[in-house]
Amino acid sequence: MRYLISLVIAGIVTFFLFLGMQALIQGGEGAMTDPVKGQVLDFVRLKQEETVQKKERKPQKPPTPKEPPPPMESPQTQSNNLDAAGGNFDFSADVSADVELAGGLALESSDGEYLPIVKVQPVYPRRALSRGIEGYVIVEFVVTKNGTVRDPKVVQAEPEAIFDRAALDAALKFKYKPRVVNGEPVEVAGVQNKISFQISG
């Protein structure tokens, strides 16, 4: 009996559900067919035109070049200063003009006489500098075809054996423009040079 009542109730409920679904379906078809009310506006956002400003760069004028400094003359002599033990001293070593003894003064007629280019002042001996000794040395040597000095020797020294080594070492560093005879360089022998050692100040 209970099962029969349940079936009847289930059938009634199912019937009403079908009716409800039919009503919903008819209502939905009407909504789909109705015309759209109102207007639809499409908004399209346009970017503003950007103006590109071009800057013209004018080339800068190059700076006016400064006047070049005058060329410096190359020193003819080089000096070396030594500090004596216990104090400082300034000294000067004079290099006198060259004299050729083999043929008197160098005044022979030729394509070109030898000329001194570089004369290096000697190193003042430390012993003589510390004792305040002054003097001079006359050195004799040969000017070669290349303008270098060969075979230097001491002809006269005052005082003796004090400044000899310094004078000979300096003479070996002398540079000359060689003598030219008939377009060919030749050696010049017997060239003498007086080197003075004096303490100044």
Side-chain angles (χ1 to χ4, degrees), residues 1 8 13 38 63 65 71 83 110 112-113 124 128 150 162 164 167 171 174 183 190:
M1 193 66 180
V8 173
V13 171
D83 294 338
S110 61
E113 289 296 333
Y124 211 104
R150 178 170 57 85
I162 298 295
D164 294 5
F174 290 177

Side-chain angles (χ1 to χ4, degrees), residues 9-160:
I9 294 172
I12 295 171
V13 171
T14 304
F15 178 74
F16 282 107
L17 287 175
F18 278 112
L19 289 179
M21 291 178 63
Q22 187 66 29
L24 290 174
I25 291 171
Q26 290 180 358
E29 290 180 356
M32 294 292 294
T33 55
D34 289 342
V36 180
K37 296 182 180 180
Q39 296 180 355
V40 178
L41 298 178
D42 293 333
F43 291 94
V44 179
R45 186 172 183 178
L46 298 177
K47 293 184 179 181
Q48 296 181 356
E49 295 183 359
E50 297 180 356
T51 57
V52 180
Q53 296 180 356
K54 295 183 179 180
K55 294 183 179 180
E56 296 182 359
R57 294 184 177 180
K58 296 183 178 180
Q60 298 180 354
K61 294 183 179 180
T64 305
K66 298 181 179 179
E67 295 182 359
M72 297 180 62
E73 297 180 357
S74 59
Q76 294 293 328
T77 60
Q78 300 173 356
S79 62
N80 294 320
N81 294 333
L82 290 179
D83 294 338
N88 297 328
F89 293 90
D90 295 331
F91 70 89
S92 62
D94 297 332
V95 181
S96 61
D98 297 320
V99 179
E100 180 189 3
L101 299 183
L105 296 178
L107 298 176
E108 298 178 359
S109 60
S110 61
D111 295 350
E113 289 296 333
Y114 69 95
L115 296 173
I117 299 175
V118 176
K119 286 193 175 182
V120 179
Q121 290 188 352
V123 177
Y124 211 104
R126 183 180 295 273
R127 183 179 64 174
L129 186 62
S130 62
R131 296 179 181 180
I133 301 175
E134 299 181 345
Y136 68 89
V137 178
I138 297 178
V139 182
E140 182 177 322
F141 48 83
V142 177
V143 177
T144 66
K145 297 178 181 181
N146 297 326
T148 57
V149 171
R150 178 170 57 85
D151 300 332
K153 62 182 179 180
V154 176
V155 176
Q156 184 178 352
E158 182 64 36
E160 295 182 358

Side-chain angles (χ1 to χ4, degrees), residues 162-173:
I162 298 295
F163 302 105
D164 294 5
R165 176 50 54 190
L168 291 175
D169 291 342
L172 286 172
K173 298 177 182 179

